[in-house]
């Protein structure tokens, strides 16, 4: 079954919706330049509302490992997703502070862009067209990736099934594709989850 990650949640009503929809992961953004950015205090409140069976992923961009470790250690998030220039040395430092899983994002434009991802020391990859660009890339560029990865970038309820059918990724990750006018749309959230699960059931 394809894992589902609904990212960029900011409101209690969205948490209530995901508790009903039962995705595998939700994403809390801690990047100050993002309009979806949460403070740790806000994230704590949302996490308290979240069903404990759903994994909370923290999204970071070149954040000091010590700050991430505090959120991981405090149970605010279960997984760290790294979207910046974090390298192997950075990951090793974070692993000294926490044993929680890591997702590393890579921007993909052509098949060669996948090469650095193949050996990166993270549990999972996230393959995207850009940092939260909301634009899909040529999915054939990642067809040769053999590691577990989340497909991101331009996914929405209308194309999610096609992505799963073509690539069979470990997971799919969506944020802007389930929004209307920049706000999470509960109907689109439900439609996205349904599309992926219906394709898996075929």
């Amino acid at each position: 079954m394809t894992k589902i990650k609904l990212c960029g949640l900011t409101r209690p009503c969205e948490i209530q919706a995901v508790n009903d929809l039962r995705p595998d992961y939700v994403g809390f953004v801690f990047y100050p330049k993002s309009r979806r950015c949460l403070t740790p205090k806000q994230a704590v409140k949302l996490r308290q509302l979240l069903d404990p069976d759903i994994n909370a992923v923290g999204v970071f961009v070149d954040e000091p490992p010590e700050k991430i470790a505090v959120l991981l250690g405090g149970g605010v998030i279960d997984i760290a997703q790294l979207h910046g220039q974090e390298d192997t040395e950075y990951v090793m430092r974070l692993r000294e502070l926490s044993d929680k899983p890591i997702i590393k994002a890579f921007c993909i434009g052509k098949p060669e862009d996948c090469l650095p991802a193949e050996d990166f020391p993270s549990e999972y990859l996230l393959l995207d067209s850009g940092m939260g660009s909301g634009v899909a890339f040529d999915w054939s560029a990642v067809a040769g990736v053999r590691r577990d990865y989340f497909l991101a970038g331009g996914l929405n309820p209308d194309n999610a099934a096609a992505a799963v059918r073509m690539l069979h990724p470990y997971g799919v990750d969506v944020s802007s594709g389930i929004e209307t006018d920049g706000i999470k749309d509960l109907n689109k959230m439900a439609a996205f989850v349904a599309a992926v699960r219906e394709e898996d059931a075929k």
Side-chain angles (χ1 to χ4, degrees):
M1 297 291 286
T2 308
K3 304 296 184 183
I4 299 173
K5 177 168 172 277
L6 305 182
C7 198
L9 304 186
T10 60
R11 299 179 296 162
C13 65
E14 297 164 8
I15 300 298
Q16 293 166 5
V18 298
N19 287 343
D20 292 332
L21 294 172
R22 314 292 298 172
D24 304 276
Y25 304 87
V26 297
F28 297 150
V29 178
F30 295 94
Y31 179 45
K33 293 183 180 180
S34 170
R35 58 182 170 80
R36 307 179 185 98
C37 184
L38 299 175
T39 65
K41 185 175 181 179
Q42 290 171 324
V44 167
K45 290 182 178 179
L46 293 178
R47 179 59 194 255
Q48 289 171 344
L49 299 174
L50 182 67
D51 188 296
D53 291 333
I54 301 173
N55 289 290
V57 179
V59 179
F60 304 93
V61 180
D62 300 320
E63 193 73 26
E66 293 76 12
K67 290 188 177 181
I68 298 176
V70 168
L71 294 171
L72 290 166
V76 181
I77 56 173
D78 305 297
I79 301 170
Q81 181 173 312
L82 310 177
H83 263 271
Q85 301 302 311
E86 302 92 355
D87 56 13
T88 298
E89 183 178 345
Y90 179 102
V91 170
M92 293 302 101
R93 173 57 181 156
L94 182 54
R95 291 202 189 284
E96 291 175 358
L97 302 168
S98 172
D99 60 358
K100 300 293 186 180
I102 295 171
I103 303 170
K104 181 67 175 84
F106 288 86
C107 296
I108 306 298
K110 53 189 183 301
E112 303 86 82
D113 295 334
C114 297
L115 294 177
E118 292 285 5
D119 299 320
F120 196 84
S122 58
E123 280 75 15
Y124 305 100
L125 306 174
L126 185 139
L127 306 180
D128 199 349
S129 56
M131 192 168 62
S133 68
V135 178
F137 60 91
D138 181 356
W139 293 335
S140 65
V142 303
V145 176
R146 295 292 171 252
R147 293 185 57 185
D148 285 342
Y149 67 89
F150 291 84
L151 182 69
L155 294 178
N156 57 59
D158 296 326
N159 65 9
V164 171
R165 191 180 316 125
M166 176 179 175
L167 294 173
H168 305 289
Y170 169 81
V172 288
D173 182 304
V174 64
S175 185
S176 60
I178 50 172
E179 293 179 347
T180 297
D181 297 328
I183 301 295
K184 289 292 182 289
D185 184 316
L186 305 188
N187 291 325
K188 289 182 179 179
M189 291 166 65
F192 184 89
V193 171
V196 174
R197 290 188 173 149
E198 288 170 10
E199 181 60 32
D200 276 339
K202 291 180 179 178

